[in-house]
Each structure stands twice: as C-alpha cells, then as structure tokens.
Amino acid sequence: ASAVGRACQDAGNAPGWRIGGGCGMHAAELPPTALPEPRPSLYAMTTTYFYFPPEPLQTAVRDVFQASGSPPEEAALVARRLVKANLAGHDSHGTIRVHQYLERLRKGMIRPGQQLTPLRQVGPTAVFSANRGYGQVGATLAMEQAIAKARAANVAAVGLTDVNPIGRLADYAIMAAEANMIGLVLTSSGGASRIVAPFGSNEGRIS
C-alpha cells in the first residue's frame, strides 16, 4: 500500500505533485507510479491519481510542517498520522489535509509547538486545553493521560478542548489497545455540522 498524491504543475511549470491543493515538491524527489485507471473514491476531486511510497511522502510532509514552525517531533507525529490514514484507506483524513492545515497556520488557527494545559482534574477524570495546537498532538497527549489515569484507577475519562481536527480516531483507540486497554474515542465539530441524529430522533443534532 502507499499514500496518494495528485499530479500538478508548480509555478515554474516543472513536473510536481501536490497533497490536496498545494504544489511545491518535485516528482524527481518522489517518483510516482501512474495507475492505468483512476481509483474510485468518495472524496475524489480529480480523475488522475499517482501513488507514492509512504516513507518518502511522510518525510516530505514532515519537512513541510517543520518548515512552517513545528518542532521536529511534532512535525514527525502529524506527518505519520496523516500518511497512516492514507494507508488505512481513510484518504479524507490523510495527506489531502496538508494544504488545509497550512491555510489554518496562515490564519493563526493552528499554533505549532503547543502542549496541554490542565483545566480540571478530579480523580481519574480530566479536561485539558490543547491551546489551538495540532489536533494529532493534543489527542495523543490526552490519550497518554487517559492511559496513565486508567492504570491507576482501572477507568479514566479525559476531555480535550481548544483543539484542531485530530485526524483518524482509530489512532488513539489503538494507543489504548497497545496498552492492553479498551479506548473509546469521541469527537465533535463544535456544532459546526449537525449530522448525527440522537437515539429516537429523525434529525441531526450532534456532530
């Protein structure tokens, strides 16, 4: 398996590739293999697809985030989560998001290099602020907190606020499974989209 990029031409009209909507990295660095037929996708925005080996793609994405202000460990974590989403078949939560994250950075909606700030902690429960940092970083740290609390009390509940999109939720449930625990991961869009109908309802009320 490999992650997906889409063909484009950069400003110099040289062959390049893009993740989502951004150009800038050259095909010479990541030689693509063209598919004879487009791969069907619910999220397809083009009918031309190229596949890239995941390791160099992850390195390129990491370099983009590091160049945009993230510490090396943060850039590597976000890149790893995005490419893993592609490899798992969840392209909607994969490298297609890079250009959106860069736009959020330009608008100040994402703040690189943030850590969690505790807002409330009572026994095995806690609420943290991610301080508008990368969602993948905040959610990873929150699950680490939940795992540590559950080890001490056999159960834990940790909430996270002031956070950007956290990507593929399975990543965090897998963290719990690797710690020999059961993890239940829930998220919402803060009411931006009401697409989930509560039990017994015929209209969406939660996101």
Side-chain angles (χ1 to χ4, degrees):
S2 56
V4 179
R6 287 183 287 150
C8 71
Q9 300 292 317
D10 66 12
N13 204 34
W17 63 275
R18 71 182 178 187
I19 306 166
C23 295
M25 285 166 272
H26 289 79
E29 300 172 18
L30 296 174
T33 300
L35 297 180
E37 297 292 337
R39 190 182 79 166
S41 173
L42 176 63
Y43 304 98
M45 297 173 66
T46 178
T47 56
T48 303
Y49 289 86
F50 294 90
Y51 274 49
F52 299 94
E55 293 82 5
L57 178 59
Q58 183 171 313
T59 298
V61 174
R62 179 203 66 195
D63 291 346
V64 167
F65 289 129
Q66 191 168 339
S68 64
S70 286
E73 288 186 3
E74 175 177 274
L77 172 62
V78 177
R80 184 168 64 251
R81 294 277 193 246
L82 293 178
V83 172
K84 181 62 180 294
N86 284 124
L87 293 174
H90 295 279
D91 290 343
S92 62
H93 288 63
T95 52
I96 194 174
R97 298 291 175 179
V98 171
H99 76 102
Q100 296 175 345
Y101 289 0
L102 295 179
E103 185 61 26
R104 283 174 172 259
L105 280 165
R106 294 186 190 101
K107 294 178 178 179
M109 298 170 67
I110 292 179
R111 302 173 184 167
Q114 299 299 311
Q115 297 294 315
L116 298 187
T117 299
L119 301 179
R120 276 194 312 279
Q121 296 201 67
V122 180
T125 68
V127 177
F128 293 93
S129 169
N131 297 303
R132 304 308 302 170
Y134 279 102
Q136 289 86 348
V137 175
T140 297
L141 295 173
M143 180 54 77
E144 289 175 352
Q145 289 283 336
I147 290 170
K149 290 178 180 297
R151 282 202 179 102
N154 295 320
V155 66
V158 173
L160 190 62
T161 188
D162 300 323
V163 64
N164 281 284
I166 68 174
R168 192 177 73 112
L169 271 62
D171 288 327
Y172 314 106
I174 289 171
M175 288 177 62
E178 290 174 343
N180 200 31
M181 298 182 182
I182 296 173
L184 177 63
V185 186
L186 308 172
T187 187
S188 80
S189 62
S193 59
R194 298 179 178 181
I195 57 177
V196 179
F199 179 78
S201 172
N202 61 1
E203 293 184 3
R205 285 291 181 268
I206 54 180
S207 59

